[in-house]
Coordinates of all heavy atoms in Angstrom, one line a residue:
M1 N 86.0 107.0 90.6 CA 86.9 105.8 90.7 C 86.5 105.0 91.9 O 86.2 105.6 93.0 CB 88.3 106.3 90.8 CG 88.9 106.8 89.5 SD 90.7 106.9 89.5 CE 90.9 108.2 90.7
G2 N 86.7 103.7 91.8 CA 86.4 102.8 92.9 C 87.6 102.8 93.8 O 88.6 103.4 93.7
S3 N 87.4 102.1 95.0 CA 88.4 102.1 96.0 C 89.7 101.4 95.5 O 90.8 101.7 95.9 CB 87.9 101.4 97.2 OG 87.6 100.0 96.9
G4 N 89.5 100.4 94.5 CA 90.7 99.8 94.0 C 91.6 100.7 93.2 O 92.8 100.7 93.3
S5 N 90.9 101.6 92.4 CA 91.7 102.6 91.6 C 92.4 103.5 92.6 O 93.5 104.0 92.3 CB 90.7 103.3 90.7 OG 90.1 102.4 89.8
S6 N 91.7 103.9 93.6 CA 92.2 104.9 94.6 C 93.5 104.2 95.2 O 94.5 104.9 95.4 CB 91.2 105.3 95.7 OG 91.8 106.0 96.6
H7 N 93.4 103.0 95.6 CA 94.5 102.3 96.2 C 95.7 102.3 95.2 O 96.8 102.4 95.6 CB 94.1 100.9 96.6 CG 95.2 100.1 97.3 ND1 95.7 100.5 98.6 CD2 96.0 99.1 96.9 CE1 96.7 99.7 98.9 NE2 96.9 98.8 97.9
L8 N 95.4 102.0 93.9 CA 96.5 101.9 92.9 C 97.2 103.3 92.9 O 98.4 103.4 92.8 CB 96.0 101.5 91.6 CG 97.0 101.5 90.4 CD1 98.1 100.6 90.7 CD2 96.3 101.3 89.1
I9 N 96.5 104.4 92.8 CA 97.1 105.7 92.7 C 97.9 106.0 94.0 O 99.0 106.5 93.9 CB 96.0 106.8 92.5 CG1 95.4 106.6 91.1 CG2 96.5 108.2 92.7 CD1 94.2 107.4 90.8
E10 N 97.4 105.6 95.1 CA 98.1 105.8 96.4 C 99.4 105.0 96.3 O 100.5 105.4 96.8 CB 97.3 105.5 97.6 CG 96.2 106.5 97.9 CD 96.7 107.9 98.1 OE1 97.7 108.1 98.8 OE2 96.1 108.8 97.5
S11 N 99.4 103.8 95.8 CA 100.6 102.9 95.7 C 101.6 103.6 94.8 O 102.8 103.6 95.1 CB 100.2 101.6 95.2 OG 99.4 100.9 96.1
V12 N 101.2 104.1 93.7 CA 102.1 104.7 92.7 C 102.7 106.0 93.3 O 103.8 106.3 93.2 CB 101.4 105.0 91.4 CG1 102.2 105.9 90.5 CG2 101.0 103.8 90.7
K13 N 101.9 106.7 94.1 CA 102.4 108.0 94.7 C 103.4 107.6 95.8 O 104.3 108.4 96.1 CB 101.2 108.7 95.3 CG 100.3 109.4 94.4 CD 99.1 110.1 95.1 CE 99.3 111.6 94.9 NZ 98.2 112.3 95.5
F14 N 103.3 106.4 96.3 CA 104.3 106.0 97.3 C 105.7 105.9 96.7 O 106.7 106.2 97.3 CB 103.9 104.6 97.9 CG 105.0 104.1 98.9 CD1 105.1 104.6 100.1 CD2 105.8 103.1 98.5 CE1 106.1 104.1 101.0 CE2 106.8 102.5 99.3 CZ 106.9 103.1 100.6
Y15 N 105.8 105.4 95.4 CA 107.0 105.2 94.7 C 107.5 106.5 94.0 O 108.6 106.6 93.6 CB 106.9 104.1 93.8 CG 106.8 102.8 94.5 CD1 105.6 102.1 94.5 CD2 107.9 102.2 95.1 CE1 105.4 100.9 95.2 CE2 107.7 101.0 95.8 CZ 106.5 100.4 95.8 OH 106.3 99.2 96.5
L16 N 106.6 107.4 93.7 CA 107.0 108.6 93.0 C 106.7 109.8 93.9 O 105.5 110.0 94.4 CB 106.1 108.8 91.7 CG 106.4 107.8 90.6 CD1 105.3 108.0 89.5 CD2 107.8 108.0 90.1
P17 N 107.6 110.7 94.1 CA 107.4 111.9 94.8 C 106.3 112.7 94.1 O 106.1 112.6 92.9 CB 108.7 112.6 94.9 CG 109.8 111.6 94.6 CD 109.0 110.6 93.7
D18 N 105.6 113.6 94.8 CA 104.6 114.4 94.3 C 105.0 115.2 93.0 O 104.2 115.3 92.1 CB 104.0 115.4 95.3 CG 103.1 114.7 96.3 OD1 102.6 113.6 96.1 OD2 103.0 115.3 97.5
Q19 N 106.2 115.7 93.0 CA 106.6 116.5 91.9 C 106.9 115.6 90.7 O 106.9 116.1 89.5 CB 107.8 117.4 92.2 CG 109.1 116.6 92.4 CD 109.2 116.3 93.9 OE1 108.3 116.3 94.7 NE2 110.5 116.0 94.3
E20 N 107.1 114.3 90.9 CA 107.4 113.4 89.8 C 106.1 112.7 89.3 O 106.1 112.0 88.3 CB 108.4 112.3 90.2 CG 109.7 112.8 90.6 CD 110.5 113.4 89.4 OE1 110.3 112.9 88.2 OE2 111.2 114.3 89.5
F21 N 105.0 112.9 90.0 CA 103.7 112.1 89.6 C 103.2 112.4 88.3 O 102.6 111.7 87.6 CB 102.7 112.4 90.7 CG 101.5 111.4 90.6 CD1 101.7 110.1 90.8 CD2 100.2 111.9 90.3 CE1 100.6 109.2 90.7 CE2 99.2 111.0 90.2 CZ 99.3 109.6 90.4
T22 N 103.6 113.7 87.8 CA 103.1 114.0 86.4 C 104.2 113.9 85.4 O 104.1 114.3 84.2 CB 102.6 115.5 86.4 OG1 103.6 116.4 86.9 CG2 101.3 115.6 87.3
N23 N 105.4 113.5 85.8 CA 106.6 113.4 84.9 C 106.5 112.0 84.2 O 106.6 110.9 84.9 CB 107.9 113.5 85.8 CG 109.1 113.3 84.9 OD1 109.1 112.8 83.8 ND2 110.2 113.7 85.5
I24 N 106.2 112.1 83.0 CA 106.0 110.8 82.2 C 107.2 109.9 82.2 O 107.1 108.7 82.2 CB 105.5 111.1 80.8 CG1 105.0 109.8 80.1 CG2 106.6 111.8 80.0 CD1 103.7 109.3 80.6
N25 N 108.4 110.5 82.1 CA 109.7 109.7 82.2 C 109.8 108.9 83.4 O 110.3 107.8 83.5 CB 110.9 110.6 81.9 CG 110.9 111.1 80.5 OD1 110.5 110.5 79.6 ND2 111.5 112.3 80.3
A26 N 109.5 109.6 84.6 CA 109.5 108.9 85.9 C 108.5 107.7 85.9 O 108.8 106.7 86.5 CB 109.3 109.9 87.0
I27 N 107.3 108.0 85.4 CA 106.3 106.9 85.4 C 106.7 105.8 84.5 O 106.6 104.6 84.9 CB 104.9 107.5 84.9 CG1 104.4 108.5 86.0 CG2 103.9 106.4 84.7 CD1 103.3 109.3 85.6
I28 N 107.3 106.0 83.3 CA 107.8 105.0 82.5 C 108.9 104.2 83.1 O 108.9 103.0 83.1 CB 108.2 105.6 81.1 CG1 107.0 106.1 80.4 CG2 109.0 104.5 80.3 CD1 107.2 106.8 79.1
T29 N 109.8 104.9 83.8 CA 110.9 104.2 84.5 C 110.3 103.3 85.6 O 110.8 102.2 85.8 CB 111.9 105.2 85.1 OG1 112.5 106.0 84.0 CG2 113.0 104.5 85.9
L30 N 109.3 103.8 86.3 CA 108.7 103.0 87.4 C 108.1 101.8 86.8 O 108.2 100.7 87.4 CB 107.6 103.8 88.1 CG 106.8 103.1 89.2 CD1 107.8 102.6 90.3 CD2 105.7 103.9 89.7
L31 N 107.4 101.9 85.7 CA 106.7 100.7 85.0 C 107.8 99.7 84.6 O 107.6 98.5 84.8 CB 105.9 101.1 83.8 CG 104.6 101.9 84.2 CD1 104.0 102.4 82.9 CD2 103.7 100.9 84.9
F32 N 108.9 100.2 84.0 CA 109.9 99.2 83.6 C 110.6 98.5 84.8 O 110.9 97.3 84.8 CB 110.9 99.9 82.7 CG 110.6 99.9 81.3 CD1 110.0 101.1 80.7 CD2 110.5 98.8 80.5 CE1 109.7 101.1 79.3 CE2 110.1 98.8 79.2 CZ 109.7 100.0 78.6
A33 N 110.7 99.3 85.9 CA 111.3 98.7 87.1 C 110.3 97.6 87.6 O 110.8 96.5 88.0 CB 111.5 99.8 88.2
F34 N 109.0 97.9 87.6 CA 108.0 96.9 88.0 C 108.1 95.7 87.2 O 108.1 94.5 87.7 CB 106.7 97.5 88.0 CG 105.5 96.5 88.1 CD1 105.2 96.1 89.4 CD2 104.9 96.1 87.0 CE1 104.2 95.1 89.5 CE2 103.8 95.1 87.2 CZ 103.5 94.7 88.4
F35 N 108.1 95.8 85.9 CA 108.2 94.6 85.0 C 109.5 93.9 85.2 O 109.5 92.7 85.1 CB 107.9 95.0 83.5 CG 106.5 95.2 83.3 CD1 106.0 96.5 83.0 CD2 105.5 94.2 83.3 CE1 104.7 96.8 82.8 CE2 104.2 94.5 83.1 CZ 103.7 95.7 82.8
S36 N 110.6 94.6 85.3 CA 111.9 94.0 85.5 C 111.9 93.1 86.8 O 112.3 92.0 86.8 CB 113.0 95.0 85.6 OG 114.2 94.4 85.9
F37 N 111.4 93.7 87.8 CA 111.3 92.9 89.1 C 110.3 91.8 88.9 O 110.7 90.6 89.4 CB 110.8 93.8 90.2 CG 110.5 93.1 91.5 CD1 111.6 92.8 92.4 CD2 109.3 92.7 91.8 CE1 111.4 92.1 93.6 CE2 109.1 92.0 93.0 CZ 110.1 91.7 93.9
S38 N 109.2 91.9 88.2 CA 108.3 90.8 88.0 C 108.8 89.7 87.3 O 108.7 88.5 87.7 CB 107.0 91.3 87.4 OG 106.3 92.3 88.2
F39 N 109.5 89.9 86.2 CA 110.2 88.8 85.4 C 111.2 88.1 86.3 O 111.3 86.9 86.3 CB 110.9 89.4 84.1 CG 109.8 89.6 83.0 CD1 109.5 90.8 82.6 CD2 109.4 88.5 82.3 CE1 108.5 91.0 81.6 CE2 108.4 88.6 81.3 CZ 108.1 89.9 80.9
T40 N 112.0 88.9 87.0 CA 113.1 88.3 87.8 C 112.6 87.4 88.9 O 113.0 86.3 89.1 CB 114.0 89.4 88.4 OG1 114.6 90.2 87.3 CG2 115.2 88.8 89.1
A41 N 111.5 88.0 89.6 CA 110.9 87.2 90.6 C 110.2 86.0 90.1 O 110.3 84.9 90.7 CB 109.9 88.1 91.4
S42 N 109.6 86.0 89.0 CA 109.0 84.9 88.3 C 110.0 83.8 88.0 O 109.7 82.6 88.2 CB 108.2 85.3 87.1 OG 107.2 86.1 87.4
S43 N 111.2 84.1 87.6 CA 112.2 83.1 87.3 C 112.5 82.4 88.6 O 112.8 81.2 88.6 CB 113.5 83.8 86.7 OG 114.2 84.5 87.6
V44 N 112.6 83.1 89.7 CA 113.0 82.5 91.0 C 111.8 81.5 91.4 O 112.1 80.4 91.8 CB 113.2 83.5 92.1 CG1 113.4 82.9 93.4 CG2 114.4 84.4 91.7
Y45 N 110.6 81.8 91.2 CA 109.5 81.0 91.5 C 109.5 79.7 90.7 O 109.2 78.6 91.1 CB 108.1 81.7 91.3 CG 107.8 82.6 92.4 CD1 107.6 84.0 92.0 CD2 107.7 82.3 93.7 CE1 107.2 85.0 93.0 CE2 107.4 83.2 94.6 CZ 107.2 84.5 94.3 OH 106.9 85.4 95.3
V46 N 109.8 79.8 89.3 CA 110.0 78.6 88.5 C 111.1 77.7 89.0 O 110.9 76.5 89.1 CB 110.2 79.0 87.0 CG1 110.5 77.8 86.2 CG2 108.9 79.8 86.5
V47 N 112.2 78.3 89.3 CA 113.4 77.5 89.8 C 112.9 76.8 91.1 O 113.2 75.7 91.3 CB 114.6 78.4 90.0 CG1 115.7 77.6 90.8 CG2 115.2 78.8 88.7
N48 N 112.3 77.5 92.0 CA 111.8 77.0 93.2 C 110.9 75.8 92.9 O 111.0 74.7 93.6 CB 111.1 78.0 94.1 CG 110.6 77.4 95.4 OD1 111.4 76.9 96.2 ND2 109.3 77.4 95.6
D49 N 110.0 75.9 92.1 CA 109.0 74.8 91.7 C 109.8 73.6 91.2 O 109.4 72.5 91.5 CB 108.0 75.2 90.7 CG 106.8 76.0 91.4 OD1 106.8 76.1 92.6 OD2 105.9 76.5 90.6
L50 N 110.8 73.9 90.4 CA 111.6 72.7 89.8 C 112.4 72.1 91.0 O 112.5 70.8 91.0 CB 112.5 73.2 88.7 CG 111.9 73.8 87.5 CD1 112.9 74.3 86.5 CD2 111.0 72.7 86.8
L51 N 113.0 72.8 91.8 CA 113.8 72.3 92.9 C 113.0 71.5 93.9 O 113.5 70.5 94.5 CB 114.6 73.3 93.6 CG 115.7 74.0 92.8 CD1 116.4 75.2 93.6 CD2 116.8 73.0 92.3
D52 N 111.7 71.9 94.1 CA 110.8 71.3 95.1 C 109.9 70.3 94.5 O 108.9 70.0 95.1 CB 110.0 72.4 95.9 CG 110.9 73.2 96.8 OD1 112.1 72.8 97.1 OD2 110.5 74.3 97.1
L53 N 110.2 69.9 93.3 CA 109.2 69.1 92.5 C 108.7 67.9 93.2 O 107.5 67.6 93.3 CB 109.9 68.7 91.1 CG 108.9 68.2 90.1 CD1 107.9 69.2 89.8 CD2 109.8 67.9 88.8
E54 N 109.6 67.1 93.7 CA 109.2 65.8 94.4 C 108.4 66.0 95.7 O 107.4 65.4 95.9 CB 110.5 65.0 94.7 CG 111.3 64.5 93.5 CD 110.4 63.7 92.5 OE1 109.6 62.9 92.9 OE2 110.4 63.9 91.3
S55 N 108.8 67.0 96.5 CA 108.0 67.3 97.7 C 106.7 67.9 97.4 O 105.7 67.7 98.1 CB 108.9 68.1 98.7 OG 109.1 69.3 98.1
D56 N 106.7 68.7 96.3 CA 105.4 69.3 95.9 C 104.4 68.3 95.4 O 103.2 68.4 95.6 CB 105.6 70.4 94.8 CG 106.2 71.7 95.3 OD1 106.4 71.8 96.6 OD2 106.5 72.5 94.5
R57 N 104.9 67.2 94.8 CA 104.0 66.2 94.2 C 103.2 65.4 95.4 O 102.2 64.9 95.1 CB 104.8 65.2 93.4 CG 105.2 65.8 92.1 CD 105.9 64.8 91.2 NE 106.1 65.4 89.9 CZ 107.1 65.1 89.0 NH1 107.9 64.1 89.4 NH2 107.2 65.6 87.9
V58 N 103.8 65.4 96.6 CA 103.1 64.7 97.6 C 102.4 65.7 98.6 O 101.7 65.2 99.6 CB 104.1 63.8 98.4 CG1 104.6 62.7 97.5 CG2 105.2 64.5 99.1
H59 N 102.6 66.9 98.4 CA 101.9 67.9 99.3 C 100.4 68.1 98.9 O 100.1 68.0 97.7 CB 102.6 69.3 99.1 CG 102.2 70.3 100.2 ND1 101.2 71.1 99.9 CD2 102.8 70.6 101.3 CE1 101.0 71.9 101.0 NE2 102.0 71.6 101.9
S60 N 99.6 68.3 99.9 CA 98.2 68.3 99.6 C 97.7 69.4 98.7 O 96.8 69.2 97.8 CB 97.4 68.5 100.9 OG 97.8 69.7 101.6
T61 N 98.2 70.6 98.7 CA 97.9 71.7 97.8 C 98.9 71.9 96.7 O 98.5 72.3 95.5 CB 97.5 73.0 98.5 OG1 98.7 73.3 99.2 CG2 96.4 72.8 99.5
K62 N 100.2 71.8 97.0 CA 101.2 72.1 96.0 C 101.2 71.1 94.9 O 101.8 71.3 93.8 CB 102.6 72.2 96.7 CG 102.7 73.3 97.7 CD 104.1 73.3 98.3 CE 104.2 74.5 99.3 NZ 105.5 74.5 100.0
K63 N 100.6 69.9 95.1 CA 100.6 68.9 94.0 C 99.8 69.4 92.8 O 100.0 68.8 91.7 CB 100.0 67.6 94.6 CG 98.5 67.7 94.9 CD 98.0 66.4 95.5 CE 96.5 66.5 95.8 NZ 96.1 65.3 96.5
N64 N 99.1 70.5 93.0 CA 98.3 71.0 91.9 C 99.0 72.0 91.0 O 98.5 72.6 90.1 CB 96.9 71.6 92.4 CG 96.1 70.6 93.1 OD1 96.0 69.4 92.6 ND2 95.5 70.9 94.2
R65 N 100.3 72.4 91.4 CA 101.0 73.3 90.7 C 101.4 72.7 89.3 O 101.5 71.5 89.2 CB 102.3 73.7 91.4 CG 102.1 74.5 92.6 CD 103.3 74.8 93.4 NE 103.0 75.7 94.5 CZ 103.9 76.1 95.4 NH1 105.2 75.8 95.2 NH2 103.6 76.9 96.4
P66 N 101.6 73.5 88.3 CA 101.7 72.9 86.9 C 102.8 71.9 86.7 O 102.6 70.9 86.1 CB 101.9 74.2 86.0 CG 101.3 75.3 86.8 CD 101.4 74.9 88.2
F67 N 104.0 72.1 87.3 CA 105.1 71.2 87.1 C 104.8 69.9 88.0 O 105.1 68.8 87.5 CB 106.4 71.8 87.5 CG 106.9 72.8 86.5 CD1 107.0 74.2 86.9 CD2 107.2 72.6 85.3 CE1 107.4 75.2 86.0 CE2 107.6 73.5 84.3 CZ 107.7 74.8 84.7
A68 N 104.4 70.1 89.2 CA 104.2 69.0 90.1 C 103.0 68.1 89.5 O 103.0 66.8 89.7 CB 103.8 69.4 91.5
A69 N 102.0 68.7 89.0 CA 100.9 67.9 88.5 C 101.2 67.3 87.1 O 100.3 66.6 86.5 CB 99.7 68.8 88.3
G70 N 102.3 67.7 86.5 CA 102.6 67.1 85.2 C 102.0 67.9 84.0 O 102.0 67.4 82.9
Q71 N 101.3 69.0 84.3 CA 100.7 69.7 83.3 C 101.7 70.5 82.4 O 101.4 70.8 81.2 CB 99.7 70.8 83.9 CG 98.6 70.2 84.7 CD 97.8 71.2 85.5 OE1 98.4 72.3 85.9 NE2 96.6 70.9 85.9
L72 N 102.9 70.7 82.9 CA 103.9 71.3 82.2 C 105.2 70.4 82.3 O 105.6 70.0 83.4 CB 104.3 72.7 82.7 CG 103.4 73.9 82.3 CD1 103.9 75.1 83.0 CD2 103.4 74.1 80.8
P73 N 105.8 70.1 81.1 CA 107.0 69.3 81.2 C 108.2 70.1 82.0 O 108.2 71.3 81.8 CB 107.4 69.1 79.7 CG 106.2 69.4 79.0 CD 105.4 70.4 79.8
V74 N 109.0 69.3 82.7 CA 110.1 70.0 83.5 C 111.0 70.7 82.6 O 111.5 71.8 82.9 CB 110.8 68.9 84.2 CG1 112.0 69.5 85.0 CG2 109.9 68.2 85.3
H75 N 111.2 70.3 81.3 CA 112.2 71.0 80.5 C 111.7 72.3 80.1 O 112.4 73.2 79.7 CB 112.6 70.1 79.3 CG 111.5 69.9 78.3 ND1 110.6 68.9 78.4 CD2 111.1 70.6 77.2 CE1 109.7 68.9 77.3 NE2 110.0 70.0 76.6
Y76 N 110.4 72.6 80.2 CA 109.8 73.9 79.9 C 110.4 74.9 81.0 O 110.7 76.0 80.7 CB 108.3 73.9 80.0 CG 107.6 73.5 78.7 CD1 108.3 72.7 77.8 CD2 106.3 73.8 78.5 CE1 107.6 72.3 76.6 CE2 105.6 73.3 77.4 CZ 106.3 72.6 76.5 OH 105.6 72.2 75.3
G77 N 110.4 74.4 82.2 CA 110.9 75.2 83.4 C 112.4 75.5 83.2 O 112.8 76.6 83.5
A78 N 113.1 74.5 82.7 CA 114.6 74.7 82.5 C 114.8 75.8 81.4 O 115.9 76.4 81.4 CB 115.2 73.4 82.1
V79 N 113.9 76.0 80.5 CA 114.0 77.0 79.5 C 113.5 78.3 79.9 O 114.1 79.3 79.8 CB 113.3 76.5 78.2 CG1 113.3 77.6 77.1 CG2 114.0 75.3 77.6
I80 N 112.3 78.3 80.5 CA 111.6 79.5 80.9 C 112.3 80.3 82.0 O 112.3 81.5 82.0 CB 110.1 79.3 81.2 CG1 109.3 80.6 81.1 CG2 109.9 78.6 82.5 CD1 109.1 81.1 79.8
A81 N 112.9 79.6 83.0 CA 113.5 80.3 84.2 C 114.6 81.2 83.7 O 114.6 82.4 84.1 CB 113.9 79.3 85.2
P82 N 115.6 80.7 82.9 CA 116.7 81.6 82.5 C 116.2 82.7 81.6 O 116.7 83.8 81.6 CB 117.7 80.7 81.9 CG 117.2 79.3 81.9 CD 115.9 79.3 82.6
L83 N 115.1 82.4 80.8 CA 114.6 83.4 79.9 C 114.0 84.5 80.7 O 114.2 85.7 80.3 CB 113.6 82.7 78.9 CG 113.0 83.6 77.9 CD1 114.0 84.1 76.9 CD2 112.0 82.8 77.1
L84 N 113.2 84.2 81.7 CA 112.5 85.2 82.5 C 113.6 86.1 83.2 O 113.4 87.3 83.3 CB 111.6 84.6 83.6 CG 110.3 84.0 83.0 CD1 109.7 83.1 84.1 CD2 109.4 85.0 82.5
L85 N 114.7 85.4 83.7 CA 115.7 86.1 84.4 C 116.5 87.1 83.4 O 116.7 88.2 83.7 CB 116.7 85.1 85.0 CG 117.8 85.7 85.9 CD1 117.3 86.4 87.1 CD2 118.8 84.6 86.2
F86 N 116.7 86.6 82.2 CA 117.4 87.3 81.2 C 116.5 88.6 80.8 O 117.0 89.8 80.8 CB 117.6 86.5 79.9 CG 118.2 87.4 78.8 CD1 119.5 87.8 78.8 CD2 117.4 87.7 77.7 CE1 120.1 88.5 77.8 CE2 117.9 88.4 76.7 CZ 119.2 88.9 76.7
I87 N 115.2 88.4 80.6 CA 114.3 89.5 80.3 C 114.4 90.5 81.5 O 114.4 91.8 81.2 CB 112.9 89.0 80.0 CG1 112.9 88.2 78.7 CG2 111.9 90.2 79.8 CD1 111.7 87.4 78.4
G88 N 114.3 90.0 82.7 CA 114.3 90.9 83.9 C 115.5 91.8 83.9 O 115.4 93.0 84.1
F89 N 116.6 91.1 83.7 CA 117.9 91.8 83.8 C 118.0 92.8 82.6 O 118.5 93.9 82.7 CB 119.1 90.9 83.8 CG 119.3 90.3 85.2 CD1 120.3 89.3 85.3 CD2 118.6 90.6 86.3 CE1 120.5 88.8 86.6 CE2 118.8 90.1 87.5 CZ 119.8 89.1 87.7
L90 N 117.6 92.4 81.5 CA 117.7 93.2 80.2 C 116.8 94.5 80.4 O 117.3 95.6 80.1 CB 117.2 92.5 79.0 CG 117.3 93.2 77.7 CD1 118.8 93.4 77.3 CD2 116.6 92.3 76.6
L91 N 115.6 94.3 80.9 CA 114.7 95.5 81.2 C 115.4 96.5 82.1 O 115.4 97.7 82.0 CB 113.4 95.1 81.6 CG 112.4 94.5 80.6 CD1 111.1 94.0 81.3 CD2 112.1 95.4 79.5
S92 N 116.0 95.8 83.2 CA 116.6 96.7 84.2 C 117.8 97.4 83.6 O 118.0 98.6 83.9 CB 117.1 95.8 85.4 OG 117.8 96.5 86.3
A93 N 118.7 96.8 82.8 CA 119.8 97.4 82.3 C 119.5 98.5 81.3 O 120.2 99.5 81.2 CB 120.8 96.2 81.6
I94 N 118.5 98.3 80.5 CA 118.2 99.2 79.5 C 117.3 100.4 79.9 O 117.6 101.6 79.6 CB 117.4 98.5 78.3 CG1 118.3 97.5 77.6 CG2 116.9 99.5 77.3 CD1 117.7 96.7 76.6
F95 N 116.4 100.2 80.8 CA 115.4 101.2 81.1 C 115.4 101.8 82.5 O 114.8 102.8 82.7 CB 113.9 100.7 80.8 CG 113.8 100.3 79.4 CD1 113.7 99.0 79.0 CD2 113.6 101.3 78.4 CE1 113.5 98.7 77.6 CE2 113.4 101.0 77.0 CZ 113.4 99.7 76.7
V96 N 116.1 101.1 83.4 CA 115.9 101.6 84.8 C 117.2 102.3 85.2 O 118.3 102.1 84.8 CB 115.6 100.4 85.7 CG1 115.6 100.9 87.2 CG2 114.3 99.8 85.4

């Protein structure tokens, strides 16, 4: 395995005690917790992009973000942010 794979295993071992590392239920719970957090955090990033839209449009690098650049309509963000939040909470409520 390469160094990236080794780092991944060490990261997973950080979240799972040694006795749980071979417990498939603990690993599945960890994966669902990861995805739950990722969906929830993504919803916050979308909301942030929508709230900062005007300032992002004049910023030298942030103007290239999809909403600021007009690549995605703003109403997509208004739909996707609550959807991502809902999925994150749902995963957390069901599996974690």
